[in-house]
Amino acid sequence: MLAYDQAIQDGDNEQQLLLLLDPTARLKPLLQSVLTPADGFHLQSADPEDIEKKLTGGALLLCYTNDRPALQALIKRIQLAHPGTPIIVFNDHLTEADPALLVRQPLIDQLSLKQLNRELLLRSLRYAQCTRRNQDALAQLKITDPLTGVGNRQYFYQALVNDLQEQQQLALITVDFDGFSRFNNEYGHDAGDEVVLELSRRLRSFSDIRHISRIGSDEFAFVLPVDSLDVIEHRTKALLGNLVATLMPAYNIGDGEKALSCSIGIAYAPQHSNEFDTLIKQSGLARIRAKEKGGLSYAIYDARLDRSETEDITLEPELWRALQNEEFVLYYQPRIDLRTGCITGAEALIRWDHPVHGLIAPDAFIPACEKSGLIVPIGYWVIQRAGRDMKLIRDAGLHGHIGVNLSFRQFQDTYLARTIERLIEQFDIDTSMLEFELTETALFSDEMHVKECIKTLSAHGIAFSLDDFGTGYSSFSLLQKLPITTLKIDKSFIAGVPGNADDEEIVRAIVTLAHNLQKSVIAEGVETKNQLEFLIKQDCDQVQGYFFSPPVSLDVFLKMLGANQMQSG
């Protein structure tokens, strides 16, 4: 009631549109005789056919009719198309209106033309205005995230649907924190709210994106509109470069700071899809793949790489069967010492020898293993099988390291170090030849747990290397704290040398850094003679890649070692 009285007292500063639905044309002259320009109302007649199009921008609807069924049908139609629209119904006699309308439709007022006066009309109009403002505020609350003030899931879905229906070309981008649940458990939900709010502020600093919305606990979505599909990738990558730089700084938590990485997924419309639910799903799948890279990473949807949950669920039983039936095999890619030109080690790489589809590369099934947790038992199988193979490799004359990958998901197993110790003892694994290749994602999945595991395993003589080095942004702080002996330069940098000045400088910097820290350097993905010659000039220690050999079966690798012995002898 207070809001109603205030609305009567204040009135409106702007002209309020009153749409008149009156087949008799009696209502407009009557209202004009009662209202004055100072009251702030603008009268406009409307037809039943176009009334729904004109009911925008906070208009009020005034109806005059004695056709009760038609009135009821109209009110139902209006409230369905424009919920929250106040309606004032005029009749010759108040008793001729339907009193039940006031119960069924609380936004409706009824006035008798024969009893109408200025005070009564103004009170009804001001009340309708106040009601409209309250309804608009409620409608806004329904589409607004209360913590950040950006749109919520409902708002974003409707905004995206509208864009797609208008056949707009756009990039749908989603972003969330890595390990947010773990952060909440460690720092509390109030701290979680603080960093989510700060993330929303950083996103809102970009003027060329729209529909910024919080669609999950720490997940945000927004749209980058483009004029042409020819420039969509260029515009998106330019935005992502600025976005990564904006999201990189640490977040304030109480009196301290915490570095939090994010993952970003992108899907294009109409290139990838023109259906809103499919587009959101594709962006989410790309974001999951970005998390596998570690650090502050992004990925653009690729149907060849991004699997849906249903596909993974279908694949999971087959993977269990493959593990039980020993369908997995290890292939070995040689590492070449650039000083001698001889094989000095190898990386063990898993393959799936499928009974129907033949040899399947890891990119086709490892993501499903990561999501389902199967990577943990499969990872232990790899260590066991590599340990068995190392006896044959050692007998063939190689005493260098055999690299085995440890993923971030394996480090989530609290019994990781204890289980590996048991495998070493049970299968008599030569730890002097065993090297675990770690990703930056694994290092930062649980820093204390990772440190303890590495410390325990290092005591057995196991070596550690850091894989895909240079693709993250926060690994330098742990290089001196952990017993990492080797850095592996990511193949994405090797692909650009020689020729790309930025990639050349990054490779030089990594080699210099590693040698200054008394660590070795291995370059991955060497495929050309020019790349090899560049790496030799930079004093890189070892290389692996298709220029020398693809991953090969154990039998082939043992034959290569025989030739290697002849060459070195």
Side-chain angles (χ1 to χ4, degrees):
M1 198 65 177
L2 290 175
Y4 157 76
D5 292 335
Q6 188 67 39
I8 293 177
Q9 181 179 346
D10 295 344
D12 281 334
N13 295 325
E14 299 180 358
Q15 288 280 314
Q16 169 71 64
L17 176 62
L18 303 180
L19 284 177
L20 308 182
L21 194 61
D22 175 18
T24 68
R26 290 180 57 195
L27 191 57
K28 188 171 184 178
L30 181 59
L31 295 179
Q32 287 174 330
S33 68
V34 175
L35 299 172
T36 68
D39 294 328
F41 295 102
H42 173 65
L43 305 180
Q44 180 180 333
S45 299
D47 296 323
E49 292 75 19
D50 61 358
I51 190 68
E52 293 179 32
K53 296 180 181 178
K54 292 187 176 182
L55 271 175
T56 57
L60 307 181
L61 179 61
L62 281 63
C63 301
Y64 172 72
T65 179
N66 290 315
D67 186 344
R68 191 175 302 168
L71 174 64
Q72 291 178 341
L74 173 69
I75 288 174
K76 289 180 180 179
R77 199 177 88 217
I78 294 300
Q79 295 290 22
L80 182 63
H82 297 278
T85 299
I87 302 174
I88 301 177
V89 178
F90 294 86
N91 290 95
D92 290 323
H93 302 284
L94 184 60
T95 53
E96 292 182 7
D98 185 357
L101 284 175
L102 295 174
V103 179
R104 294 199 299 267
Q105 301 287 353
L107 300 178
I108 295 176
D109 197 3
Q110 300 181 86
L111 298 177
S112 169
L113 287 181
K114 292 190 175 182
Q115 299 174 1
L116 188 65
N117 57 53
R118 175 177 169 78
E119 180 182 359
L120 183 62
L121 178 60
L122 283 177
R123 287 178 67 87
S124 181
L125 290 173
R126 299 301 187 205
Y127 180 74
Q129 286 180 304
C130 182
T131 302
R132 181 64 191 244
R133 281 195 294 267
N134 290 339
Q135 289 296 318
D136 289 346
L138 287 173
Q140 187 65 29
L141 286 174
K142 290 180 180 179
I143 60 172
T144 302
D145 174 57
L147 173 63
T148 63
V150 301
N152 60 13
R153 181 189 295 268
Q154 177 183 341
Y155 164 78
F156 183 76
Y157 281 16
Q158 187 57 55
L160 181 60
V161 167
N162 292 342
D163 285 351
L164 295 176
Q165 286 177 344
E166 294 172 4
Q167 298 184 335
Q168 296 190 20
Q169 299 161 15
L170 55 88
L172 167 61
I173 303 173
T174 57
V175 55
D176 69 354
F177 286 116
D178 297 329
F180 187 66
S181 296
R182 187 170 62 251
F183 175 88
N184 270 337
N185 292 335
E186 183 175 352
Y187 292 93
H189 289 275
D190 287 344
D193 287 347
E194 285 183 31
V195 298
V196 167
L197 182 58
E198 174 59 23
L199 176 56
S200 74
R201 293 192 189 106
R202 297 184 186 187
L203 293 177
R204 292 171 86 168
S205 68
F206 290 88
S207 59
D208 50 348
I209 61 177
R210 65 188 185 197
H211 308 327
I212 302 174
S213 302
R214 183 186 179 202
I215 62 173
S217 62
D218 65 317
E219 182 183 353
F220 290 83
F222 51 90
V223 163
L224 174 68
V226 296
D227 298 327
S228 168
L229 285 178
D230 296 337
V231 299
I232 190 168
E233 188 166 344
H234 173 74
R235 285 279 313 280
T236 301
K237 290 188 175 180
L239 170 68
L240 290 170
N242 295 327
L243 183 61
V244 167
T246 301
L247 299 183
M248 186 177 294
Y251 291 77
N252 293 323
I253 301 172
D255 296 330
E257 291 185 336
K258 174 72 174 176
L260 293 172
S261 63
C262 293
S263 294
I264 305 167
I266 304 99
Y268 297 144
Q271 179 178 334
H272 294 136
S273 177
N274 222 2
E275 297 292 331
F276 84 96
D277 50 352
T278 303
L279 207 61
I280 291 173
K281 178 181 177 182
Q282 290 170 338
S283 176
L285 291 172
R287 194 175 71 253
I288 291 172
R289 178 159 53 88
K291 289 184 183 296
E292 297 169 3
K293 299 180 182 179
L296 188 52
S297 302
Y298 67 83
I300 298 171
Y301 176 74
D302 187 331
R304 298 169 301 174
L305 302 176
D306 298 313
R307 290 181 169 274
S308 68
E309 295 294 333
T310 53
E311 289 176 310
D312 290 338
I313 291 171
T314 304
L315 193 59
E316 187 176 337
E318 276 205 79
L319 290 167
W320 271 115
R321 177 188 53 76
L323 183 60
Q324 293 168 346
N325 294 345
E326 295 193 355
E327 294 175 7
F328 294 115
V329 293
L330 289 186
Y331 271 46
Y332 293 89
Q333 186 169 38
R335 295 174 180 171
I336 308 300
D337 187 327
L338 289 184
R339 291 172 180 79
T340 65
C342 297
I343 297 174
T344 189
E347 180 179 359
L349 299 163
I350 192 171
R351 297 290 187 268
W352 181 4
D353 191 5
H354 195 280
V356 176
H357 303 294
L359 205 63
I360 300 176
D363 286 348
F365 62 89
I366 288 298
C369 296
E370 293 274 8
K371 293 176 189 175
S372 66
L374 272 170
I375 194 66
V376 175
I378 289 176
Y380 290 138
W381 176 87
V382 170
I383 296 171
Q384 172 191 333
R385 182 55 52 92
R388 186 201 68 176
D389 292 349
M390 279 192 291
K391 296 176 182 177
L392 299 174
I393 292 172
R394 184 181 56 203
D395 292 343
L398 180 65
H399 298 279
H401 289 123
I402 302 298
V404 173
N405 290 282
L406 281 185
S407 75
F408 78 98
R409 188 65 183 265
Q410 288 172 270
F411 275 101
Q412 293 177 346
D413 179 9
T414 55
Y415 299 102
L416 176 67
R418 195 180 309 171
T419 304
I420 292 176
E421 287 180 314
R422 180 176 56 79
L423 291 173
I424 290 170
E425 181 178 354
Q426 182 177 352
F427 296 98
D428 191 26
I429 297 175
D430 184 355
T431 54
S432 68
M433 293 182 65
L434 183 59
E435 174 189 296
F436 286 133
E437 297 190 8
L438 312 175
T439 63
E440 291 177 329
T441 310
L443 287 183
F444 291 92
S445 58
D446 185 344
E447 194 171 312
M448 289 303 299
H449 175 59
V450 171
K451 283 183 178 179
E452 288 300 318
C453 287
I454 292 178
K455 181 180 177 181
T456 299
L457 297 174
S458 180
H460 291 276
I462 299 173
F464 290 88
S465 62
L466 191 54
D467 201 10
D468 301 333
F469 188 78
T471 57
Y473 68 94
S474 53
S475 57
F476 296 99
S477 61
L478 290 181
L479 281 180
Q480 291 179 296
K481 298 178 184 179
L482 297 174
I484 295 172
T485 59
T486 304
L487 303 183
K488 300 190 73 176
I489 304 176
D490 186 68
K491 60 185 178 181
S492 62
F493 300 121
I494 303 303
V497 299
N500 185 299
D502 290 338
D503 289 341
E504 288 180 1
E505 195 56 42
I506 289 172
V507 171
R508 289 191 192 98
I510 293 174
V511 173
T512 301
L513 172 69
H515 289 167
N516 288 342
L517 295 175
Q518 308 301 311
K519 302 181 189 301
S520 299
V521 184
I522 301 175
E524 297 183 287
V526 178
E527 298 181 355
T528 69
K529 183 179 180 181
N530 288 339
Q531 291 171 342
L532 177 63
E533 290 174 348
F534 175 83
L535 292 167
I536 292 174
K537 290 179 182 178
Q538 306 313 314
D539 200 25
C540 184
D541 301 302
Q542 299 176 35
V543 295
Q544 71 179 76
Y546 278 70
F547 182 73
F548 290 97
S549 172
V552 296
S553 65
L554 177 63
D555 290 342
V556 174
F557 184 57
L558 292 176
K559 292 177 181 178
M560 293 174 69
L561 289 178
N564 189 65
Q565 283 292 101
M566 294 176 62
Q567 179 182 344
S568 60

